[in-house]
Structures are given as structure tokens and as C-alpha cells.
Amino acid sequence: MTKEHISQLMEQGYHIIEFGVPRKVEGDLWEYLSGLDGELLEIFILEELLTWDDVQLEKIYLRLT
């Protein structure tokens, strides 16, 4: 996973990656996330991933594939 790939997903309207699948969130993102009631979900916020370095992104990619 690269920052370019993440940017492309965001341009397509995606907000998060949930269990390895890009997802669009209707309404407020933070409200959606807070409504998960602490469930143990593997969710990555695309906007935050843009701040990660390439090594961290590669680890995420390997874990999701």
C-alpha cells in the first residue's frame, strides 16, 4: 500500500479500510467510528494513513493481504 494508492481511494470517496476492504462512510466519520461500541475491528482511517511512513504502510498492506 502506498500513499498514492491511499490518495486514489480517497479521491474515489472512500474513508476507511475495514477488514482490508475500502469503505465509504455516510455522515460523520467520527460519529460512525464512535458508534462501533468498542468492537475489536481492524479499521484504518485513510486520512491518517497518509501521515504514516512507507515502512508502516507496507506492514499494513502485508497484514491485509
Side-chain angles (χ1 to χ4, degrees):
M1 179 173 291
T2 64
K3 290 182 181 184
E4 181 179 329
H5 182 236
I6 294 166
S7 293
Q8 290 173 352
L9 289 173
M10 291 175 68
E11 288 172 10
Q12 295 172 8
Y14 294 102
H15 301 97
I16 61 174
I17 296 177
E18 186 174 3
F19 295 113
V21 178
R23 299 224 186 261
K24 297 177 183 179
V25 175
E26 297 296 324
D28 184 73
L29 173 63
W30 300 107
E31 187 176 310
Y32 171 80
L33 294 173
S34 68
L36 297 177
D37 296 326
E39 294 177 33
L40 296 177
L41 300 176
E42 191 160 317
I43 296 177
F44 299 97
I45 301 166
L46 295 176
E47 187 174 333
E48 289 184 3
L49 290 179
L50 288 176
T51 66
W52 293 21
D53 65 41
D54 292 336
V55 173
Q56 291 172 306
L57 292 175
E58 182 65 22
K59 288 178 183 178
I60 294 296
Y61 176 75
L62 293 173
R63 208 165 75 192
L64 295 175
T65 57

